[in-house]
Amino acid sequence: MAVSVGTDRLGLATLRRLPEQCRPLVRPGTVPAGIVHLGLGAFHRAHQAVYTEVAMGAAGGDWGIVGVAPRSTTLVEALAAQDGLFSVTTLAADRSETRVVGSLAGVRHAASDPAAVVGLLADPAIRVVTLTVTEKAYQLDPVSGVLRAEEELTLDLTTDRPPVTVPGLLVRGLLARAAAQAGPIALVSCDNLPANGRRLRGLVQQSLALAGASDSTLGRLAAEVSYPGTMVDRIVPASTAETLATARTALGVDDLAAVAAEPYRQWVVEDDFPAGRPQWERAGAVLTADAGPWERLKLRGLNGVHSAVAYLGAVAGRETIADALALPGLAGVLRRFVADDVAASFTPPDGVRVTDYGDQVLTRFANPAIRHRTLQVAMDGSQKLPQRVLHTAADLRAQGRSAHWTALVVAAWLRFLDGRADDGGSLPLDDPLAERIGAALAVAPGTPAGTVQALFALPEVFPAALAADEEFRDEVAGWLGALRTHGVAATLAGAA
Ligand code: CS2
C-alpha cells in the first residue's frame, strides 16, 4: 500500500498533542504485561486489545498485552516505532470516531526471534495467551480436528531448532513453562473454529504427543493449562491507505498501524482462567460457563451468511460485502436461509431469536462505510465452510429436514471455485487446499454433478454423512447448474 508519511508519528512523545477524545484509556508504557497475544492482525487490534484496554481503564490490573506477529515484519516495525500505540476508527454509516488504544505492552516478531516468544510463554507474569491466527494456522483437519502435522510443524516438535509455526511456538513455550514451573495459564483461541477451546486443547495435546513429552510434563500441563472457548465478533476489514488517511485526519499524526471497524462488538468467553484475567465484563464481554450456543449462533448465523454473500457477490462481480448485499433478491434469500435452515439446525442461547440475530447481521453487512472485500471473506473456504455452513446442513439432514438454502450456499462456493465471475473476470483461489481442490476438479467431469462428486469426496471438508447424502448432493448440483447456466442475478430472481 502506498503511504505518504508526514513528519509526525503516533507515539508516547506525541500523545499529548492528540485531541482529548482520541487518547488512550490507560497510561501507555506503564502497564506490566500479563497477556501474550499471537497474531497481531487488524481483528485483534480492534477486538481483544480494545476489550482489555477498556477493562484495565475501568478496573486496573497487570494485563498489558505483548503482541506477537508470527511472520509480518511491517506491522511489528510500525508498532515498535509507535511505542505499541495504534488507533481504532469506528465507522458507522454516517459518522466515525477514532481512539488510540494503549493496551499493548510490547511487540515481538516470532520469525526473527522465536526464543523471545518461547521465553515469554514460560514467564510466570504471563497468565493468559490469546490467539487470532486464522483457521488454517491450527493445521487441524477442519472436519475431524485431527492434526495435519505438516513438515515444518513436525520439525518444530521433534527437533530443537527455533520453531517457525504457530503450534510449534505454543507447544515449545508450554514445554519451557512446565520446565520452569511457571504456573497456571489460560490459552484462549479467538479464531472462528468450531468449539475453539476444545480444538486448541486437541492441537496442544496432539502436538505434545508428537513432541514426545514426558508423563510428568503432560501431567503438569494437564493440571495447569485451561482452554476457555470463546465467541468473538466484530467486522474488521484489512486496513487500506484510506484507513491510514482517516486516522491521520482524526489524530493529526501518522499511524501506520491504524485499523477501522464497525461499531458493533461482542465477546463471549468461558470463565476458566486458573491464574486470573482482566475484568473483560467491564468492557461488555459476557463471561459464561458454555460459549457453545453463542459460537454456533455466530458461526452459522453470521459467518455462514457472510460466506454466502462473499461467494455469490464475488461471482456476480461485486467488490464489497455491502455492494453484494444490494444484489436484487439476495437479502430475501439470506433471510430464508437463516429462518428455514440456520434457526432449525441448533438450539440458540436462552433469550435469543435466531431470525432477529440474522436481521441484525444483515444490517451490519449493509454498513456502506465498511469496505469489506468479498474476496477477503471468500479466502480459505475449505477451512471455513465446515463450521459455517456444512454443520448446518449435517444437523438438518440428521433430523430428516431439507437443507435447501444451505445447498445454495455450498453451490455458491463450488461456483466460485470455477475461477470465473459471471462477467468473465477472474476469481483467484486463495486456500490452503487449493492444490487438492484443483486436482480433484481436473479429473472430474465438468457437469454440476461431477463437480459435486469431486469436491464432496474431500474428507477434510465434507463430513462423511453429508458426503453420502444423495438428496443433499442433488440439491447442491441443482443450484450449481442454475448458477452456471443463468448467473447469480437470474438465480436469485428465480429463487425469491
Ligand atoms: C469473515 C470474518 O473473513 C471472514 O471470513 O466472515 O472475519 C468476520 O468478519 C468476523 O468473524 C466477524 O466477527
Side-chain angles (χ1 to χ4, degrees), residues 62 72 74-75 88 117 131 154 176 193 201 204 221 231 233 244 347 385:
D62 294 350
S72 154
T74 323
L75 195 62
V88 178
V117 179
L131 291 92
T154 306
L193 296 169
R201 181 195 296 271
V204 169
L221 292 175
M231 179 269 249
D233 192 9
L244 306 197
T347 307
L385 261 273

Side-chain angles (χ1 to χ4, degrees), residues 110-337:
S112 56
D113 196 1
V117 179
V118 169
L120 271 173
L121 296 173
D123 179 345
I126 300 300
R127 288 147 291 151
V128 173
V129 175
T130 48
L131 291 92
T132 53
V133 290
T134 80
E135 297 86 344
K136 62 182 169 229
Y138 290 73
Q139 298 195 25
L140 296 171
D141 181 311
V143 166
S144 64
V146 169
L147 185 66
R148 289 193 311 260
E150 283 151 19
E151 197 186 340
E152 294 296 347
L153 175 56
T154 306
L155 289 172
D156 282 354
L157 297 173
T158 55
T159 70
D160 58 6
R161 71 158 196 187
V164 302
T165 65
V166 169
L169 273 173
L170 197 58
V171 168
R172 293 279 288 277
L174 288 177
L175 291 170
R177 189 173 186 93
Q181 304 193 8
I185 192 163
L187 305 188
V188 192
S189 168
C190 300
D191 284 295
N192 289 316
L193 296 169
N196 56 9
R198 284 209 299 280
R199 280 276 157 117
L200 182 55
R201 181 195 296 271
L203 168 63
V204 169
Q205 288 174 342
Q206 294 175 74
S207 301
L208 286 169
L210 197 62
S214 70
D215 285 349
S216 71
T217 300
L218 290 175
R220 175 178 292 276
L221 292 175
E224 293 188 343
V225 185
S226 73
Y227 302 87
T230 63
M231 179 269 249
V232 292
D233 192 9
R234 187 167 195 184
I235 295 173
V236 191
S239 295
T240 61
E242 198 187 331
T243 316
L244 306 197
T246 307
R248 160 101 208 164
T249 305
L251 302 174
V253 293
D254 284 315
D255 172 7
L256 299 196
V259 291
E262 65 167 341
Y264 185 94
R265 59 176 165 82
Q266 190 176 27
W267 199 9
V268 181
V269 189
E270 288 172 359
D271 202 359
D272 183 11
F273 290 80
R277 58 165 172 81
Q279 288 197 29
W280 285 316
E281 58 273 47
R282 301 286 297 271
V286 173
L287 277 296
T288 179
D290 179 12
W294 291 101
E295 190 195 76
R296 285 186 281 283
L297 175 72
K298 198 266 177 168
L299 288 173
R300 299 179 188 197
L302 184 144
N303 294 115
V305 180
H306 224 182
S307 293
V309 180
Y311 295 123
L312 291 166
V315 172
R318 302 282 169 125
E319 193 187 343
T320 69
I321 294 290
D323 291 348
L325 194 57
L327 282 165
L330 181 55
V333 162
L334 296 172
R335 280 200 191 89
R336 298 290 303 272
F337 169 50

